[in-house]
Amino acid sequence: MQTLIPYLAALHGIAATLWIGGMFFAYFAMRPAAVETLEPPLRLKLFQASFRRFFMWVWLFIAVLLLTGYSGLFARFGGFSASYLSLMHGIGLLMCIIFLVLFFGFYLPFSKAVSAGDLPKAAALLGKIRWTVFANLMLGIVITFVGIAGPYL
Ligand code: HEM
């Protein structure tokens, strides 16, 4: 297990980077660009198609983060030996819960509404998706600070 630790830590960092980077791109680049260039029906279809792809990856990132996070926590630190580790675990689980709400509560009904042509409903759900992505992005930035600066504080 000890020889696996560097690889687990690297995988943890890679999954975190890809999840957080994807949210940053979606929120700060793709969404405003879509608003600027596309009419609502096409814009909603673009979001449906891109969320379908991105969220499938997010499931994988979450599985990797939880697996590598808890195995690293116990193999390297013997459990919650420092307060920044408890913070990492708390914020990490919160991000996963927010993603579950986003996926099942907003994204699946959003996708159904787009496919059914119910654009007002889809637009309302997209607003909720936007805020939950923003919340997870902010938590993702905080958790990165905790994970990287935590050992030095
Ligand atoms: C929920 C369960 C999680 C646990 C138990 C956990 C555990 C850990 C541990 C033990 C470390 C190593 C700390 C050190 O080197 O001193 C770490 C680092 C880190 N974690 Fe987490 N983590 C979790 C979730 C997350 C999530 C959801 C993200 C971001 C999306 C994340 C991002 C990071 C980052 C950026 C680092 C610093 C770089 C690295 O060591 O890979 N973690 N985490």
Side-chain angles (χ1 to χ4, degrees):
M1 186 70 190
Q2 292 300 309
T3 53
L4 283 181
I5 285 175
Y7 302 101
L8 294 176
L11 268 179
H12 194 78
I14 291 166
T17 307
L18 295 177
W19 185 10
I20 298 166
M23 290 191 288
F24 184 87
F25 172 76
Y27 194 89
F28 286 108
M30 196 184 86
R31 193 192 62 85
V35 169
E36 201 176 290
T37 57
L38 298 174
E39 293 303 316
L42 211 52
R43 192 191 310 159
L44 292 167
K45 279 199 160 65
L46 169 73
F47 281 118
Q48 182 193 35
S50 51
F51 287 156
R52 186 175 69 239
R53 288 166 177 85
F54 180 56
F55 292 160
M56 285 304 118
W57 284 102
V58 174
W59 285 112
L60 177 70
F61 300 151
I62 287 179
V64 170
L65 282 163
L66 294 179
L67 222 74
T68 55
Y70 288 109
S71 52
L73 184 71
F74 289 102
R76 268 175 79 190
F77 302 97
F80 298 98
S81 53
S83 51
Y84 82 92
L85 294 172
S86 307
L87 204 58
M88 165 75 58
H89 142 88
I91 299 174
L93 284 188
L94 183 62
M95 288 180 71
C96 296
I97 292 168
I98 290 176
F99 179 73
L100 288 179
V101 171
L102 187 169
F103 189 86
F104 291 107
F106 305 143
Y107 162 69
L108 288 184
F110 162 79
S111 183
K112 248 179 148 174
V114 175
S115 298
D118 187 349
L119 301 188
K121 186 173 176 192
L125 285 161
L126 184 61
K128 293 181 177 170
I129 293 175
R130 181 181 154 208
W131 285 110
T132 40
V133 167
F134 182 74
N136 253 358
L137 173 59
M138 292 302 116
L139 289 172
I141 292 170
V142 172
I143 206 173
T144 303
F145 177 86
V146 169
I148 291 176
Y152 304 98
L153 294 174

